Amino acid sequence: MSTSDQQASPPRHAIPELLIGVGLLACAGAVAWQTLAIPVSPLYSKVGPRVFPYITMAGMILLSLLLILAAVRGGWQPEEEKETPTDWKGMGFVVAGLVANLLLIQPLGFTAASVIMFVLVCFGFGSRHPLRDALLGLVLALAAYFGFARALGVNIGAGLIENQLNTLINAVVGLVRG
């Protein structure tokens, strides 16, 4: 009997990929729950503060269903990637970076916490250049902070660095305006 005569085995259910899809669906549920908690003023006619969270939630639901479908059909990872062992040390550094950001954003501010997170995540992904990573993280964190704080007027966690730079910027703007 040749291999072409044999029936193909049914695709295996990819449990890790299925868990990712279900996790994304749970996140979409959390977005829905938090979106319903947003107060809506009767002054809004059609587009209120809930529109974009609902669009995000719909996208998350669609993607999660597609991920679940792919997982039920056997997963989306190529066979050679399925046999690659997990780098638990690298994953530990990534998780440590996320936890550090969560714990340090209040006492240190957005920029310092983000730089620490960036360096730890880069190390987890294999970078061995912490100074370069810290400088790049500083540039990205400051751009994100001032993008939110100055352009959108949203405070995402001012700390010592942000307060000093805000003072410097206000002084320079005051000098320029005369």
Side-chain angles (χ1 to χ4, degrees), residues 90-177:
M91 188 178 293
F93 276 102
V94 171
V95 170
L98 295 171
V99 171
N101 187 276
L102 181 69
L103 296 175
L104 297 175
I105 198 166
Q106 185 68 33
L108 299 181
F110 177 82
T111 303
S114 295
V115 169
I116 292 167
M117 176 186 67
F118 193 84
V119 170
L120 287 170
V121 169
C122 287
F123 191 83
F125 278 103
S127 173
R128 297 301 179 254
H129 304 282
L131 182 60
R132 180 197 64 194
D133 298 336
L135 290 173
L136 182 58
L138 180 65
V139 169
L140 293 171
L142 287 174
Y145 176 79
F146 285 109
F148 275 94
R150 293 283 179 167
L152 300 175
V154 177
N155 182 4
I156 58 173
L160 178 66
I161 295 170
E162 295 86 359
N163 290 334
Q164 295 298 325
L165 286 173
N166 274 324
T167 303
L168 179 66
I169 290 169
N170 290 336
V172 169
V173 169
L175 285 174
V176 170
R177 290 186 181 165

Side-chain angles (χ1 to χ4, degrees), residues 13-148:
H13 296 300
I15 301 302
E17 288 98 330
L18 183 64
L19 291 175
I20 291 171
V22 170
L24 184 60
L25 190 60
C27 288
V31 169
W33 171 52
Q34 289 298 304
T35 301
L36 290 172
I38 296 173
V40 178
S41 170
L43 299 176
Y44 289 107
S45 58
K46 293 184 182 187
V47 178
R50 292 183 181 177
V51 171
F52 287 107
Y54 278 136
I55 292 171
T56 302
M57 179 196 64
M60 290 173 71
I61 290 172
L62 177 66
L63 288 175
S64 66
L65 293 176
L66 290 172
L67 289 172
I68 290 169
L69 179 65
V72 169
R73 291 183 175 173
W76 59 82
Q77 279 186 314
E79 286 302 319
E80 59 271 5
E81 283 185 17
K82 291 177 184 173
E83 296 169 5
T84 303
T86 302
D87 180 9
W88 292 107
K89 181 181 174 186
M91 188 178 293
F93 276 102
V94 171
V95 170
L98 295 171
V99 171
N101 187 276
L102 181 69
L103 296 175
L104 297 175
I105 198 166
Q106 185 68 33
L108 299 181
F110 177 82
T111 303
S114 295
V115 169
I116 292 167
M117 176 186 67
F118 193 84
V119 170
L120 287 170
V121 169
C122 287
F123 191 83
F125 278 103
S127 173
R128 297 301 179 254
H129 304 282
L131 182 60
R132 180 197 64 194
D133 298 336
L135 290 173
L136 182 58
L138 180 65
V139 169
L140 293 171
L142 287 174
Y145 176 79
F146 285 109
F148 275 94

